[in-house]
Amino acid sequence: MSTTIEIRSAPHIKTQRSVEQIMRNVVGSLLPVCAFFVYQYGLSALASLAVVTAACLATERFFVKTGTQSGTLADWSAVITGLLLALSLPPGFPLWMGAVAGIVAIALGKALFGGIGFNVFNPALVGRAFVQAAFPVAIATYTPSFLDGRFTSFVPSTLAWPLMMPADTAAWLQSLHLDGITGATPLAKWKFEGVAADPLHLLSSLSGHMAVGPSPLLILVCGAYLAVRRFLDWRIPAAILGSAGLTAFALYAWNPARFPDPFFMMFSGGLMLGAIYMATDMATSPVTPRGMWVYGALIGVLTVLIRYYGGLPEGVMYAILIGNAASPLIERFTQPRPFGKSGLLRPRRGASYALHPEYISREEAGATTPKKRMPINKPRK
């Protein structure tokens, strides 16, 4: 009687979880955040979420069908990319520009590298970085939240025709007799006007007509659910928020007249959304425990420095992309010392290390190597 022995790489003891199960829970945790976003901005936010997510799904379907990338629509990864990308865009962002962002997020952020599990950068941030460079005026144009009639009419710029200039948002606000309300975000008002909003108002995002995103408090609650269920590692958000808060506090203590309250830095912009949902992407973040702390600290410090000294008021997107690029290097220098090796000796390049308990290998997730990748390297004659 012959017995077949199957040999696989570590980890050998794993929980009964799959990529699909993790992604479904992430999508479920994002639904309250999306619902609050729609409650803030009405039909424009709902249309943006629908169009951007549909563009991501259609692009994913195209590349999977042509064999360019691995994965299926059933793994929910394209849905997460679409929702996160839409939440990072202004609610009045033209829909055709949002569709372009979704196509670029999947094509350049995932398919170019081979699909789910192979991507180097967070796909949603790749799409946003593209439209940040391609449409700088539109992506910097925000509208106040909780406007009357937001559930019966669109922001005029939302329905702009492709390749046409969007409608003037300032003129539209004046027609609503809202001259005193500005569409500038709290970060932009602080950076260019020196006016800092109340951090408590930013925490709930329920006060007045402020041009803010989903409530940081709600994002924290939804992220806590994922952390308790162990669908994300708490070390990365804790390192990002802790390092950002400590850096902002140090600068505030050094010069309170120039730098704002550290809580303003933590609750404004997209720091909370990026720390909990974008920086924790399993494919683009380190898997070693020490590496997670270093990775998160790098993102938090870079976010504050870019906000303070950069030309743009927001720096979360660039900080996370830089952290993604540094992840392989961070993993290399944070590998645990192999058993029996002296701490004074240089570790081997091929030294093994224990993976995170919740890590799911590509073999166990059922990922397959794509038949072909972009670009196709033809052999030389």
Side-chain angles (χ1 to χ4, degrees), residues 4-346:
T4 303
I5 300 177
E6 185 177 358
I7 301 176
R8 291 191 178 189
S9 59
H12 303 293
I13 302 177
K14 301 167 287 294
T15 57
Q16 298 299 322
R17 291 180 179 177
S18 62
V19 171
E20 291 78 8
Q21 181 184 4
I22 295 175
M23 296 298 179
R24 281 198 304 269
N25 278 269
V26 174
V27 171
S29 70
L30 276 173
L31 292 181
V33 181
C34 295
F36 187 85
F37 189 58
V38 174
Y39 174 63
Q40 285 178 295
Y41 295 101
L43 293 179
S44 292
L46 179 61
S48 179
L49 288 167
V51 170
V52 175
T53 305
C56 290
L57 288 171
T59 309
E60 179 102 341
R61 173 63 178 172
F62 171 78
F63 285 111
V64 170
K65 190 72 174 178
T66 57
T68 305
Q69 72 167 62
S70 63
T72 63
L73 295 182
D75 60 25
W76 296 87
S77 61
V79 177
I80 295 176
T81 298
L83 294 179
L84 291 177
L85 178 56
L87 289 173
S88 68
L89 297 174
F93 199 63
L95 295 180
W96 73 270
M97 295 183 185
V100 171
I103 294 172
V104 171
I106 299 298
L108 299 184
K110 286 182 64 177
L112 182 65
F113 299 98
I116 183 172
F118 296 96
N119 53 294
V120 178
F121 301 99
N122 184 282
L125 293 179
V126 171
R128 195 189 189 282
F130 179 86
V131 294
Q132 175 86 45
F135 315 113
V137 177
I139 205 170
T141 303
Y142 281 78
T143 54
S145 58
F146 300 111
L147 293 177
D148 295 334
R150 62 187 183 278
F151 295 114
T152 57
S153 61
F154 290 89
V155 177
S157 58
T158 302
L159 303 177
W161 288 95
L163 304 180
M164 301 296 291
M165 181 177 296
D168 187 5
T169 304
W172 174 67
L173 290 176
Q174 291 180 0
S175 67
L176 297 177
H177 305 289
L178 299 174
D179 301 7
I181 297 179
T182 177
T185 63
L187 278 174
K189 291 186 67 176
W190 164 77
K191 191 172 185 68
F192 302 117
E193 301 177 16
V195 179
D198 188 348
L200 293 179
H201 294 169
L202 296 175
L203 181 62
S204 63
S205 298
L206 289 172
S207 301
H209 300 289
M210 301 176 66
V212 293
S215 168
L217 181 61
L218 179 61
I219 296 174
L220 273 175
V221 172
C222 296
Y225 161 78
L226 294 177
V228 170
R229 295 292 306 276
R230 305 192 72 176
F231 290 121
L232 66 80
D233 197 293
W234 60 271
R235 296 178 181 87
I236 295 177
I240 293 175
L241 298 178
S243 59
L246 289 176
T247 305
F249 176 78
L251 294 174
Y252 176 74
W254 174 49
N255 191 348
R258 179 181 178 185
F259 300 105
D261 186 278
F263 291 103
F264 172 81
M265 280 287 109
M266 295 180 63
F267 300 149
S268 59
L271 180 60
M272 205 66 67
L273 183 67
I276 293 178
Y277 283 101
M278 295 181 176
T280 54
D281 183 10
M282 294 181 180
T284 60
S285 59
V287 297
T288 59
R290 284 189 299 171
M292 294 178 185
W293 288 109
V294 176
Y295 168 79
L298 174 66
I299 293 175
V301 172
L302 284 177
T303 297
V304 175
L305 294 181
I306 293 173
R307 285 180 175 182
Y308 285 165
Y309 301 105
L312 297 174
E314 182 58 284
V316 176
M317 175 183 69
Y318 297 108
I320 296 178
L321 290 176
I322 293 173
N324 293 158
S327 289
L329 188 64
I330 293 174
E331 285 187 341
R332 178 180 179 183
F333 287 100
T334 57
Q335 294 182 10
R337 189 174 71 250
F339 180 75
K341 296 293 182 181
S342 172
L344 299 177
L345 298 178
R346 184 178 180 181

